[in-house]
Amino acid sequence: MFVIDFIRDLFQSRIQGVKGQAKGQAYNVQARSRGKVAGTFNSAVDGGVKKVKGVGRDGRAKAAEGPPKQQGKKMGFPFFGKKRGRQGPSQADMDELADAKTQLVNVGQFEEAGQGRCVGWVVLMSGPQEGRDFRLVAGRNRIGTDADMEVVLTDPYVSSHHATIVFNDEGVYQISDAGSTNGTKVNGKRVMQAIIVDNDSLQIGHVDLRFKALY
């Protein structure tokens, strides 16, 4: 009984060995087949890439080829159209240029009119802005430290809107205090409202001014 079991086990062991050897050979065949397929695929991909980059089969770069030449035509800017001889500007161009100049002149006249007619000046006689003059126009001229004033002063004793000089339709110049802290003076006298004439001395805060009338 023992001998029979031994022979049977030995036979089964031989069978398992043969099966294992057969599986190993089959695996090697499959691996070689997969390797050939992968190599063929990689060669095809590399060939396509080299072709795009201009590389030959020998791995060397091909000479750069320029764009195909156009037969019988020269390159140029399409919007120039056909080649023409030397010509001056067309009548349409001249008309457009004249129209642009007219518009510029009209704008300049409008801006000049918007500034108002000059009717006099105030000249600063003291303070950090001494020697500077401000143009006065027909109508209202506000004096103060705010940037939107017609006469902008930088003295710390001047209010944001300190006073106003008006030239009215009757040709009269009049100065009015706007409720300032340090007051307004005409020829040394503090006033709330007064008529002023050429060469009058004004004092706005601690700033001395000389008024010059054009009319």
Side-chain angles (χ1 to χ4, degrees):
M1 191 70 178
F2 174 76
V3 175
I4 295 173
D5 292 338
F6 176 76
I7 293 173
R8 185 179 60 195
D9 292 341
L10 180 61
F11 182 74
Q12 289 180 352
S13 176
R14 293 279 181 90
I15 292 174
Q16 293 294 331
V18 171
K19 288 182 177 180
Q21 186 176 2
K23 286 184 178 180
Q25 291 177 352
Y27 178 79
N28 290 335
V29 171
Q30 291 178 357
R32 286 196 296 271
S33 298
R34 290 175 181 175
K36 289 182 179 180
V37 172
T40 302
F41 177 77
N42 291 335
S43 298
V45 172
D46 292 341
V49 172
K50 290 179 180 180
K51 185 176 182 181
V52 172
K53 292 184 177 181
V55 179
R57 292 182 177 275
D58 57 355
R60 297 181 179 179
K62 293 183 179 179
E65 297 181 358
K69 296 182 179 180
Q70 295 184 356
Q71 299 296 330
K73 293 184 179 180
K74 294 183 178 180
M75 297 296 290
F77 294 101
F79 51 81
F80 283 158
K82 295 182 179 180
K83 185 177 180 180
R84 297 180 298 177
R86 289 181 174 270
Q87 296 181 2
S90 64
Q91 185 60 41
D93 295 335
M94 295 297 293
D95 293 341
E96 185 177 354
L97 179 60
D99 182 62
K101 288 183 177 180
T102 301
Q103 292 180 6
L104 288 174
V105 170
N106 290 339
V107 170
Q109 290 176 348
F110 175 77
E111 291 179 348
E112 185 68 22
Q115 291 179 356
R117 177 169 57 97
C118 179
V119 296
W121 298 267
V122 287
V123 182
L124 279 65
M125 308 301 291
S126 66
Q129 297 170 283
E130 181 179 355
R132 182 174 179 181
D133 64 280
F134 288 90
R135 179 176 179 267
L136 303 177
V137 298
R140 183 185 64 174
N141 301 270
R142 298 167 299 169
I143 304 172
T145 58
D146 277 356
D148 62 345
M149 299 287 108
E150 284 71 38
V151 179
V152 181
L153 305 180
T154 59
D155 190 88
Y157 295 97
V158 176
S159 301
S160 57
H161 179 196
H162 196 106
T164 301
I165 295 176
V166 175
F167 180 76
N168 60 27
D169 295 337
E170 298 175 355
V172 176
Y173 300 90
Q174 181 174 288
I175 188 169
S176 303
D177 187 84
S180 64
T181 302
N182 295 296
T184 301
K185 294 181 179 180
V186 177
N187 297 325
K189 181 180 180 181
R190 185 163 181 168
V191 299
M192 288 301 297
Q193 191 175 66
I195 294 175
I196 55 177
V197 296
D198 187 44
N199 278 331
D200 274 349
S201 296
L202 311 178
Q203 188 176 37
I204 306 296
H206 289 183
V207 180
D208 295 321
L209 304 93
R210 178 67 55 85
F211 169 64
K212 295 298 297 181
L214 188 57
Y215 299 100

